[in-house]
Amino acid sequence: MTPADLRAHALDHLAQYLAAFPEERDALDALATQLADDPADVFARANMRGHVTTSGIVYDVAADRVLMIHHKVLDRWLQPGGHHEGQDRLEVSAAREVREETGVDCVEPWPDPSGRSRPFDIETHAIRANPAKGEGDHWHHDFIYLFRADSTQALAPQWEEVKGVRWMPRADFAALPSARFARMSEKLLALAPARTPADLAPSS
């Protein structure tokens, strides 16, 4: 995909997301504005106004567990993801990051009733300057996609990037120290309305 195609693709997925979650419009204003008016490449890591990243929430609904990595540099639990490489569709990039960082190969997009691959969540957050990498303060605009997988699959962490990988109970995922995880946990709960409270109790 060309940079122009990618930008149009990101704008389309942002529009789909905001149609489903209009209450998040103000929080994503910086992303919408940059996609609309930044003449520089918003997928390039060198863009210090901000750039697009992709990540994946991989959910085993039967086990009520979420696939998470322990990020080596940030030293915290996060969903697998990384910088967009400026080539593939956003959901393809997210799936690749999941496979590379966790070794979980059998990952399928979560079926969307609309038949389209809209984001599960979008998170814009500030990144502090890193002089060692020649990077100033900037924004990450993370397009997060939902996948499903069996949590009994073998894990093969990408040790260059992560300190660990685990299938985390959704309740633990929701309790991580960022409001975005609680928000995404609520969205996960909404995917399985027929399940009982006992089914959704955290497992040890």
Side-chain angles (χ1 to χ4, degrees), residues 131-180:
K133 292 184 177 181
E135 295 178 349
D137 293 333
H138 60 281
W139 294 91
H140 274 181
H141 305 300
D142 195 26
F143 283 73
I144 305 167
Y145 292 85
L146 181 62
F147 303 95
R148 59 184 179 183
D150 183 344
S151 58
T152 63
Q153 290 186 65
L155 301 174
Q158 186 182 38
W159 295 114
E160 299 85 353
E161 301 290 337
V162 308
K163 295 172 69 174
V165 177
R166 65 176 288 213
W167 285 95
M168 183 178 291
R170 184 195 43 76
D172 294 349
F173 169 77
L176 289 170
S178 172
R180 61 179 155 160

Side-chain angles (χ1 to χ4, degrees), residues 68-89:
M68 299 289 281
I69 63 160
H70 194 176
H71 196 281
K72 180 174 282 190
V73 175
L74 298 177
D75 194 26
R76 53 188 294 211
W77 288 100
L78 297 169
Q79 73 271 16
H83 288 87
H84 191 276
E85 296 178 3
Q87 298 176 350
D88 297 323
R89 293 177 59 86

Side-chain angles (χ1 to χ4, degrees), residues 94-105:
R96 181 177 60 249
E97 292 289 342
V98 168
R99 295 187 179 99
E100 289 178 352
E101 293 190 340
T102 70
V104 173
D105 286 326

